[in-house]
């Protein structure tokens, strides 16, 4: 009996290593992609929902007398869901740029997203 269980465990491990879930379907990446802001002195990380294009950002903030806080900026104007597609984040190489590009990998459209006041906002998509 232990030989059968051991065989199944090896097969399951091999399936996962080859990119398949235990149900036999391809193992997919998570629905989000993350990228840091290019600005070298800014501890901000952006996230995009790969299928909807919704963008948000979080950063670390010091807290006096404590260990600090994670402060997140939800989607605001232009950063909400877009038409369904395949979205990604692309930081520029500009070391003083606090924003990040949201790119639509299917259409080639782009917009720049950044934190404004207490929200993540994005410019309109353009080609």
């Amino acid at each position: 009996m232990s030989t059968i269980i051991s065989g199944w465990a090896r097969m399951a491990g091999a399936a996962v290593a080859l990119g398949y879930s235990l149900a036999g379907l391809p193992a997919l990446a998570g629905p989000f992609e993350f990228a840091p802001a290019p600005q070298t002195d800014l501890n901000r990380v952006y996230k995009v929902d790969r299928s909807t294009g919704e963008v948000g950002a979080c950063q670390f903030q010091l807290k006096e007398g404590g260990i600090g806080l994670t402060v997140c900026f939800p989607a605001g104007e232009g950063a909400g869901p877009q038409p369904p597609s395949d979205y990604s984040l692309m930081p520029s190489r500009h070391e003083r740029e606090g924003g990040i590009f949201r790119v639509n990998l299917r259409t080639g459209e782009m917009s720049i997203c950044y934190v404004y006041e207490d929200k993540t906002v994005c410019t309109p998509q353009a080609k």
Side-chain angles (χ1 to χ4, degrees), residues 55-127:
V55 178
C58 294
Q59 69 185 37
F60 173 76
Q61 185 175 18
L62 289 174
K63 178 181 169 188
E64 194 170 317
I67 59 170
L69 303 168
T70 301
V71 178
C72 293
F73 307 95
E77 186 176 341
Q82 305 296 300
S85 193
D86 188 11
Y87 294 92
S88 185
L89 294 173
M90 179 68 59
S92 70
R93 300 184 95 189
H94 193 278
E95 67 183 29
R96 298 294 302 159
E97 180 61 60
I100 196 162
F101 287 92
R102 172 180 56 195
V103 296
N104 184 325
L105 298 173
R106 292 185 190 164
T107 66
E109 293 176 303
M110 295 185 223
S111 60
I112 186 75
C113 301
Y114 54 95
V115 172
Y116 180 71
E117 295 179 355
D118 62 346
K119 301 279 188 209
T120 304
V121 297
C122 298
T123 61
Q125 296 275 338
K127 264 189 182 180

Side-chain angles (χ1 to χ4, degrees), residues 29-43:
F32 295 99
E33 181 178 317
F34 300 87
Q39 188 172 334
T40 57
D41 62 348
L42 184 63
N43 62 2

